[in-house]
Amino acid sequence: MTASITTRPRAAAPTGADELVERILAEYEPLLRHARRAMASVWQDRRVSKSALHVLFQLQLHGDLPMSRIAALIEVSLPNATGIVTRMEACGLVERVRDARDRRLVLVRATDQGREAVREVEAVRRDQMRDRKSTRLNSSHRT
C-alpha cells in the first residue's frame, strides 16, 4: 500500500489590493469589537435579546415579513422564530397583522417601540464608532 501525498496549491502573492483590504480590516476590527461591546450594554439596559434585535433589524431592512421568512433570515427553526416573535409581541416590539392582499397570510410588523429600539442601537453604534475613530485619528495626527 502506498501513501499518496497531496499538496496544496500555493497562495498567490498578495497584491496591492489585498494588502489594502487587510489594512482596512485591521483598522475596522477594533471598531467592530467596540461596537459589539456598546450594543451589549444596550441589550442589557433595554432587556431586548440579541435575537429580538436581529428580528427588528430584518424587519427594518425588509418590511413586514411572514414568520417563515423571519425564521429563514435569522437562521432558526419556525417554532423557534414563533417563540421569539411571541415574546417580542408581549414586550410591545412587534405586532402580527393580516396581509391586505391575502387575508390568510399573517405578517410580523415592528411597532413604534420596536423601531425606537433599533434607532437607539444604531445611534449608540454610530456614536461609539465615531468616538473610536476620532480618537484614532487624533492620535495619528499627534505622531
Side-chain angles (χ1 to χ4, degrees):
M1 179 183 240
T2 60
S4 65
I5 299 175
T6 58
T7 59
R8 288 185 171 174
R10 286 189 184 180
T15 65
D18 292 337
E19 290 172 9
L20 177 60
V21 167
E22 289 303 318
R23 285 196 349 238
I24 290 170
L25 291 174
E27 288 288 320
Y28 193 62
E29 188 58 36
L31 294 173
L32 285 177
R33 274 195 306 274
H34 197 68
R36 280 188 217 111
R37 274 189 241 119
M39 288 177 63
S41 69
V42 171
W43 291 324
Q44 288 176 341
D45 292 345
R46 299 217 10 111
R47 303 201 188 282
V48 176
S49 72
K50 292 177 187 178
S51 297
L53 279 173
H54 196 174
V55 170
L56 288 170
F57 281 117
Q58 294 303 321
L59 292 172
Q60 180 187 32
L61 183 63
H62 300 286
D64 301 352
L65 293 169
M67 193 68 68
S68 59
R69 182 74 176 127
I70 290 172
L73 287 168
I74 67 171
E75 299 178 341
V76 299
S77 68
L78 186 55
N80 195 352
T82 301
I84 292 167
V85 169
T86 298
R87 288 186 295 278
M88 292 174 68
E89 190 174 30
C91 292
L93 299 170
V94 297
E95 61 185 347
R96 289 180 168 105
V97 296
R98 297 272 178 196
D99 186 316
R101 293 171 296 199
D102 183 351
R103 302 284 300 157
R104 297 170 295 175
L105 186 61
V106 176
L107 301 173
V108 177
R109 171 184 297 157
T111 62
D112 290 341
Q113 185 178 344
R115 286 186 291 274
E116 179 60 27
V118 170
R119 281 191 293 272
E120 285 181 27
V121 169
E122 288 179 334
V124 167
R125 184 177 12 192
R126 271 192 312 275
D127 291 346
Q128 294 290 332
M129 289 181 75
R130 186 180 305 111
D131 292 347
R132 176 82 175 172
K133 195 60 180 171
S134 69
T135 299
R136 291 182 67 94
L137 286 172
N138 288 337
S139 67
S140 69
H141 285 288
R142 286 185 218 137
T143 58

